[in-house]
Amino acid sequence: KKRILLNICMVIPIILVAVCGIMAVGSVKGWFDDSTETSGNLTVTEKTGIAMIERNGIAYEVSEGTVVREGDILYTKNASTLQIGDAEKSRISLDGNAEISKQAVGEAISVEVLKGDALVDARGMTGVSALSGETQVLLDGAVASVSTQAGSGMVYVYAGSISATKAEETVTADAGCVVTAVTNSEKMELADFGAN
């Protein structure tokens, strides 16, 4: 009887460690998210190639249906694409070697484009914003490509109009225009890229 009791005492901690490990992984991966509270959140709607998510300092390959939380960093590898959307449609598209971070929770979409290009479709929405370097971009009702490269950021406007703010300067750009902001300059440049 003493030997059986000792065996049980050894098995119980092993089971507890296994359950705690499963709970920790499930919490990071969002297995226990309440689906009734994610209507305003973004989810991964489509993925090709290798795309990763970094959550709470842990990086793993993202899969379709993953709910994107505040502070999550999503990035794509060479020749990969990632579509992120709400209940209605895809809102953010990433090409290869792009990296974004979700900045806000709820109905408003706010992302920081850390590297590469992100196409943001904000048609029919308000409160949509993106950050590229030091430039804050408001995209309410617009479709624009937000690009962050070494030393500069650019926003190509394809539909609607956007408002870009850097330091104390604000520029409004309509469809067919591009706003360029250089990291070491407080000024932004507005030009026509010929899309009509």
Side-chain angles (χ1 to χ4, degrees), residues 1-99:
K1 287 188 174 189
K2 191 174 186 181
R3 186 178 186 112
I4 293 172
L5 185 60
L6 286 174
N7 286 341
I8 290 172
C9 288
M10 290 298 289
V11 169
I12 289 175
I14 293 171
I15 292 172
L16 285 174
V17 168
V19 168
C20 289
I22 290 170
M23 296 294 284
V25 170
S27 176
V28 169
K29 287 201 163 196
W31 294 346
F32 309 118
D33 287 345
D34 184 2
S35 61
T36 60
E37 296 179 5
T38 60
S39 60
N41 288 337
L42 297 173
T43 59
V44 175
T45 57
E46 188 178 325
K47 162 187 109 120
T48 60
I50 299 173
M52 306 293 286
I53 185 169
E54 184 178 316
R55 178 177 289 165
N56 299 330
I58 300 170
Y60 57 93
E61 191 165 354
V62 71
S63 57
E64 291 181 17
T66 300
V67 176
V68 182
R69 299 180 187 165
E70 180 178 8
D72 284 353
I73 297 172
L74 293 109
Y75 53 95
T76 55
K77 301 288 187 177
N78 282 336
S80 300
T81 62
L82 190 63
Q83 303 284 323
I84 305 161
D86 57 19
E88 296 180 18
K89 64 179 179 178
S90 292
R91 297 293 183 176
I92 302 169
S93 300
L94 300 178
D95 285 334
N97 292 319
E99 183 174 342

Side-chain angles (χ1 to χ4, degrees), residues 104-170:
V105 171
E107 296 298 322
I109 295 174
S110 181
V111 295
E112 180 176 2
V113 181
L114 302 168
K115 179 177 82 168
D117 301 315
L119 180 68
V120 181
D121 184 349
R123 287 179 286 191
M125 298 185 73
T126 58
V128 180
S129 63
L131 186 65
S132 174
E134 302 163 345
T135 308
Q136 178 74 34
V137 183
L138 298 176
L139 298 125
D140 292 353
V143 177
S145 175
V146 182
S147 174
T148 301
Q149 306 300 329
S152 69
M154 296 175 24
V155 181
Y156 291 88
V157 186
Y158 299 110
S161 64
I162 61 104
S163 174
T165 303
K166 181 178 180 184
E168 306 219 355
E169 180 184 11
T170 300

